[in-house]
Amino acid sequence: MASTYGGGRRRRIVAATAVTAAGLLLWPGTAYAADVTTTPTEARQGDAVRLEFSVPEERAGTKTNQIEVRLPADAPIAEVYPMSVNGWAPRISSRTLDKPVAGIHSSGVTTVTTAVTWVRVGASDPGPARLALSMGPMPQAERLTFEVVQTYADGTVVRWADATGPHRAPALTLLPAAPGAAGPAA
């Protein structure tokens, strides 16, 4: 009889542990309450980088329809290419510079990307949107901050633009160029 009591108790403990673990993994506050992040978090000045933005779904019952990533105006990046992401279509906005900047494929780029807006086009993976840009060369700056504007299907707009607080803008730290680096368009 003792083994029956112990076996039942063990099953209850295992079941309680499983329910607790599932609750922690599936709880919306834990899974989705996060900042917009970038991977990687740092790069070298003058290098090209593939930068992935991870944008959380914070509103229950509605999905994100559009995500706009605004590039810093004071540190233009010569070449920016949105990468393919299932369920999202990119749209590029640009501007003309007064003074050309060096690019990866050209020494004098005068038209640069100001923003890339991804629009949801059908089904996409659940959870945070993971949207990537290949860009370079990285400018001579210590840090690049990207404003992200997230628009939900119900019309709610969330601006990830703050330096601190609940909607911090994602940033990329730029390290000095590697010694002996050839530089852009070399």
Side-chain angles (χ1 to χ4, degrees), residues 55-121:
V55 183
E57 290 273 7
E58 291 190 313
R59 299 184 48 81
T62 186
K63 286 189 166 198
T64 301
N65 271 359
Q66 179 174 296
I67 297 171
E68 178 184 12
V69 175
R70 295 179 180 169
L71 283 79
D74 59 344
I77 301 168
E79 298 178 42
V80 178
Y81 305 102
M83 301 290 93
S84 295
V85 179
N86 287 336
W88 295 91
R91 187 176 61 226
I92 300 171
S93 302
S94 60
R95 69 180 168 117
T96 302
L97 299 174
D98 293 332
K99 182 181 173 189
V101 294
I104 296 170
H105 300 101
S106 171
S107 59
V109 176
T110 56
T111 302
V112 297
T113 300
T114 56
V116 176
T117 304
W118 278 275
V119 178
R120 187 182 295 267
V121 289

Side-chain angles (χ1 to χ4, degrees), residues 118-139:
W118 278 275
V119 178
R120 187 182 295 267
V121 289
S124 61
D125 296 333
R130 298 186 192 289
L131 308 169
L133 294 172
S134 284
M135 61 178 78
M138 292 291 101

